[in-house]
Amino acid sequence: MFAKGEEWNISFAGCGFSSAYYLGMLTCILESAPHLVHGASKICGASSGCLVAAALAVGLPIEHLWLDLMAVAKEARKHRLSVFHPTFSLLRTVRDSLQKKLPEDAHRRASGRLCVSLTSLSDGSNVLVSHFDSREELIQVLMCSCFFPIYCGFIPPSYRGKLYIDGALSNNMPMMEHPNTITVAPFCSESDISPKDGAWTSISVHCNSLCLQVTARNVRRIFTSFLPPAPEELAEIFQSGYTDTLHFLRQE
């Protein structure tokens, strides 16, 4: 894919429940071109994208991520108010899963390879974190990047004494400025791997390092990111990620 001797990165945009797309993408990559993941210098992510990036960096099986995503979506859909029901906490659910499944040396495996996008609450600036002193610090960073105000609550988590919120709010595609970064998003966009809704039009929106085409399908995808879809729709998103990645690999 790249010239011999060159390094490359992979970057995942934040997308909530639409991260099923990434699991389809990774299933295809690991079947057809595993070196693209195993040989990547940095695996980057913002918001839900950083959870997928972290799983890759520390070696969690993709199958576990899929089962977790399905379980969380199913649990949220039980409530009349879905993720906004007072007895349901998306962030707490994610933290509990990380506490159970991250290996004890996860911070050592992730340091230097995982790159997580955070947004400083104090001034809105972007911070990229790639080194973690402990397993708990790694979890703190991931929680900060996933904290979307109001949607996830009102009190942001902290990292090294400072408050941070969703990394997608300041940089939704970390390290995309590097020419050898493979960008992935479940929205019709300029990303290397993404759905394509037909001919690119002049109507697009630049949103924190991610250029989105304005289409009816993209509106639906954004809606799905926040409110958990039915299992059948999650499976369709997964399949879309697999198919789009296969098309990307055949072009290279």
Side-chain angles (χ1 to χ4, degrees):
M1 181 175 179
F2 301 120
K4 187 175 181 181
E6 289 188 343
E7 297 182 345
W8 67 90
N9 313 302
I10 303 176
S11 188
F12 298 96
C15 61
F17 288 98
S18 293
S19 56
Y21 185 90
Y22 298 148
L23 307 185
M25 168 261 182
L26 289 170
T27 299
C28 182
I29 288 282
L30 293 174
E31 286 178 358
S32 305
H35 66 281
L36 289 183
V37 169
H38 301 319
S41 297
K42 286 192 180 295
I43 305 177
C44 317
S47 196
S48 61
C50 78
L51 299 177
V52 176
L56 289 176
V58 306
L60 292 182
I62 300 304
E63 296 82 3
H64 290 186
L65 297 181
W66 173 248
L67 292 175
D68 280 354
L69 180 62
M70 290 287 282
V72 172
K74 183 178 180 181
E75 180 63 27
R77 286 174 62 85
K78 288 180 181 178
H79 304 290
R80 191 170 186 177
L81 297 177
S82 186
V83 294
F84 298 104
H85 195 278
T87 64
F88 181 83
S89 171
L90 183 58
L91 210 64
R92 183 180 65 240
T93 301
V94 172
R95 173 182 276 278
D96 289 347
S97 179
L98 292 172
Q99 290 283 10
K100 291 177 182 177
K101 297 189 176 180
L102 285 181
E104 290 301 317
D105 64 343
H107 56 294
R108 287 191 286 272
R109 298 188 193 187
S111 287
R113 192 166 189 235
L114 174 64
C115 180
V116 181
S117 174
L118 307 180
T119 300
S120 172
L121 181 64
S122 62
D123 60 8
S125 63
N126 183 250
V127 175
L128 298 180
V129 182
S130 288
H131 294 277
F132 314 92
D133 290 340
S134 66
R135 180 176 179 271
E136 180 56 32
E137 183 172 275
L138 170 60
I139 294 175
Q140 288 174 355
V141 170
L142 296 175
M143 291 298 93
C144 287
S145 186
C146 290
F147 184 86
F148 196 94
I150 302 177
Y151 180 76
C152 290
F154 295 92
I155 304 175
S158 64
Y159 159 62
R160 295 188 178 178
K162 295 184 179 180
L163 299 178
Y164 293 93
I165 56 177
D166 199 312
L169 296 175
S170 57
N171 184 355
N172 202 15
M173 195 67 81
M175 299 190 71
M176 70 161 293
E177 68 276 8
H178 293 255
N180 283 354
T181 295
I182 302 171
T183 55
V184 193
F187 313 110
C188 181
S189 64
E190 293 181 339
S191 302
D192 296 311
I193 302 176
S194 70
K196 306 303 177 188
D197 293 342
W200 188 268
T201 70
S202 59
I203 307 175
S204 59
V205 176
H206 290 267
C207 184
N208 302 324
S209 302
L210 185 63
C211 182
L212 301 176
Q213 187 175 20
V214 178
T215 68
R217 289 183 181 180
N218 259 356
V219 171
R220 173 62 187 174
R221 292 176 184 119
I222 293 171
F223 179 83
T224 300
S225 297
F226 287 97
L227 295 179
E232 297 78 13
E233 188 172 354
L234 279 175
E236 291 176 2
I237 297 171
F238 178 100
Q239 185 59 46
S240 175
Y242 188 100
T243 303
D244 292 341
T245 304
L246 196 60
H247 180 69
F248 168 77
L249 293 175
R250 287 172 176 170
Q251 286 184 317
E252 294 302 320

